[in-house]
Amino acid sequence: FLFLFQAMEREIIAAFDEGEPSEIMSSAFKLKVTREDIHTLRNLHWLNDEIINFYMNLLMERSKKEGYPALYAFSTFFYPKLISGGYKAVQRWTRGMDLFKQDLILVPIHLRVHWSLVVIDVRRKSIRYFDSVGQKGDKICGTVFQYLQEESKEKRNLELSSSEWILRSMESHEIPQQLNGSDCGVFMCKYADYISRDKPITFSQNNMPYFRRKMVWEIIHRQLL
């Protein structure tokens, strides 16, 4: 185990080394991650769209295995498109895919300088907002539910009843909170990781340096540990 850990650590150090910023470090899911992208996982840097979208795809890939909830994760570009253009602007995003056959749907949210997460639990008919600085996202949950209603009408000819669904922002005492101004993206990815395994969210700020390094290895090797 120690040998394996040392080998992994060497790879992570090499990925963080100075090199050609545009060098492709990993590619899959029609996405490419460059050395410059990987460097956003260094201490106290803000994660970018490329890292988050790649990680969300790794979560979806893992969910295909037996014993995991069926999972779909939207791209980080979905919510801004929905906000700017309404349902019609994103209608084609789910072409050939039935959202309502999923157990969980993840919607990464980028609020200018902050990442947060909306989790749609189709099984429990709930939409929850996870924010690592305790901000409320009731309006965001409402926007996402409105999208779901449109999607259900358009694709299944079925009305979703708002009285059957629970929409809520998680309180700051219910979920781990960040203690700095830079780890929101990692918190958001790890909320998604734990939720997509139906596990209680038990990490803390102290785990962030380890999670950042682990994510480097996972992205380079295109597999979750």
Side-chain angles (χ1 to χ4, degrees):
F1 274 127
L2 183 62
F3 172 75
L4 186 65
F5 181 74
Q6 286 170 337
M8 290 165 78
E9 187 59 23
R10 279 196 298 274
E11 283 188 83
I12 294 162
I13 290 165
F16 280 156
D17 268 354
E18 295 310 316
E20 183 54 49
S22 60
E23 181 190 345
I24 306 293
M25 304 295 281
S26 192
S27 68
F29 323 114
K30 299 181 182 167
L31 300 171
K32 287 182 170 57
V33 173
T34 65
R35 185 179 290 276
E36 188 174 22
D37 298 327
I38 287 285
H39 281 199
T40 69
L41 282 161
R42 285 162 82 172
N43 300 337
L44 305 182
H45 286 69
W46 291 346
L47 302 199
N48 66 9
D49 292 282
E50 284 70 24
I51 291 293
I52 284 168
N53 286 326
F54 205 93
Y55 192 78
M56 292 290 154
N57 273 277
L58 289 176
L59 295 178
M60 280 195 279
E61 202 59 32
R62 181 179 67 189
S63 76
K64 293 172 186 172
K65 294 179 188 168
E66 203 176 331
Y68 288 92
L71 177 74
Y72 183 75
F74 278 106
S75 150
T76 56
F77 304 112
F78 169 78
Y79 188 73
K81 192 85 175 158
L82 174 64
I83 290 295
S84 64
Y87 178 72
K88 286 279 181 270
V90 293
Q91 191 175 345
R92 293 163 63 91
W93 285 51
T94 52
R95 199 172 45 181
M97 199 267 297
D98 186 352
L99 271 190
F100 299 93
K101 286 205 170 108
Q102 308 301 315
D103 295 319
L104 294 165
I105 302 158
L106 305 176
V107 188
I109 307 286
H110 194 214
L111 305 168
R112 288 191 297 280
V113 294
H114 182 60
W115 289 106
S116 58
L117 182 70
V118 169
V119 178
I120 304 165
D121 192 326
V122 180
R123 305 162 298 184
R124 299 183 178 95
K125 295 188 175 176
S126 73
I127 299 177
R128 291 172 297 159
Y129 179 76
F130 290 76
D131 193 301
S132 56
V133 293
Q135 295 181 128
K136 294 270 182 247
D138 299 348
K139 192 174 171 204
I140 294 171
C141 288
T143 302
V144 169
F145 183 62
Q146 199 177 347
Y147 162 78
L148 267 193
Q149 285 177 308
E150 300 255 19
E151 179 80 354
S152 184
K153 263 190 290 194
E154 186 67 34
K155 305 282 170 72
R156 309 189 300 168
N157 204 21
L158 262 178
E159 294 273 348
L160 284 193
S161 164
S162 55
S163 63
E164 291 177 5
W165 282 73
I166 295 162
L167 278 59
R168 67 181 289 253
S169 297
M170 302 300 285
E171 299 286 343
S172 57
H173 66 268
E174 294 178 290
I175 54 172
Q177 298 287 285
Q178 70 184 90
L179 303 175
N180 62 22
S182 53
D183 279 331
C184 57
V186 189
F187 267 82
M188 191 262 276
C189 287
K190 297 317 284 187
Y191 290 152
D193 171 26
Y194 280 65
I195 289 161
S196 66
R197 292 182 281 142
D198 275 336
K199 296 289 184 205
I201 302 174
T202 53
F203 61 83
S204 74
Q205 177 69 57
N206 294 338
N207 301 118
M208 291 301 123
Y210 165 69
F211 283 157
R212 282 175 175 271
R213 298 180 88 76
K214 182 169 170 242
M215 284 173 72
V216 171
W217 191 94
E218 290 172 327
I219 288 168
I220 288 172
H221 287 268
R222 302 184 291 280
Q223 68 177 87
L224 295 173
L225 289 168

